[in-house]
Amino acid sequence: MMDWNARFGDDPFIAELAENLHVHGYKAFYGEHYSEHDMERYRKQLFPIFQNVMWVEVDSSKKYLIVDYRGRNTVIKLINGMLNTRRTLKANQAMSGINKPETQQEITQLMRLVHLLQFATFRT
């Protein structure tokens, strides 16, 4: 296994992030405290190790860094799980006579994101 601390100096967070990306192909960030600026900084620091670093924001509280096809496929599965939850919610709302356009908008946005990820390519 690589010594990530030696490659990233005294930043243990980046070293741990690189190790997680190497093992799993992606890393999930939950919470609104991770900003676009943070994600871009992480991405730039990881470029020397990974040829591809993709940042995906599902919503304000769910963000992913993806570095390979394994990670991309896992994130697609996670988003499909979110889609199933939203579809169930929409069906339950319809049975209750409630029509919330926000639910359909969330479904549409998640479907577009899955479509974009399916066509993302990674150099190997």
Side-chain angles (χ1 to χ4, degrees):
M1 175 147 312
M2 298 181 102
D3 185 5
W4 298 106
N5 289 326
R7 294 197 90 157
F8 293 107
D10 59 352
D11 192 342
F13 176 77
I14 296 297
E16 183 181 335
L17 176 59
E19 185 173 348
N20 282 324
L21 290 169
H22 180 73
V23 171
H24 301 289
Y26 82 103
K27 173 72 173 148
F29 294 87
Y30 298 110
E32 296 185 14
H33 56 279
Y34 291 103
S35 69
E36 184 173 348
H37 174 73
D38 294 332
M39 301 305 273
E40 187 61 26
R41 184 172 50 90
Y42 302 153
R43 201 169 68 84
K44 285 179 181 177
Q45 287 180 292
L46 294 166
F47 266 139
I49 304 297
F50 302 102
Q51 288 184 344
N52 310 285
V53 182
M54 179 186 296
W55 168 54
V56 176
E57 183 172 340
V58 176
D59 60 35
S60 63
S61 65
K62 290 183 194 82
K63 300 166 183 76
Y64 299 97
L65 279 178
I66 304 170
V67 295
D68 60 23
Y69 287 108
R70 290 175 306 139
R72 181 202 66 179
N73 294 341
T74 302
V75 170
I76 287 173
K77 288 178 185 176
L78 292 169
I79 295 172
N80 280 331
M82 292 177 224
L83 264 169
N84 290 338
T85 302
R86 299 304 190 292
R87 288 176 178 141
T88 301
L89 174 63
K90 183 179 175 187
N92 289 340
Q93 289 172 344
M95 289 190 310
S96 299
I98 301 169
N99 181 17
K100 290 193 175 184
E102 305 89 35
T103 306
Q104 182 57 47
Q105 289 170 348
E106 289 177 10
I107 290 170
T108 302
Q109 183 221 1
L110 291 172
M111 288 174 60
R112 284 185 188 141
L113 190 52
V114 166
H115 181 77
L116 289 172
L117 285 172
Q118 287 173 333
F119 290 98
T121 57
F122 294 90
R123 294 181 304 239
T124 55

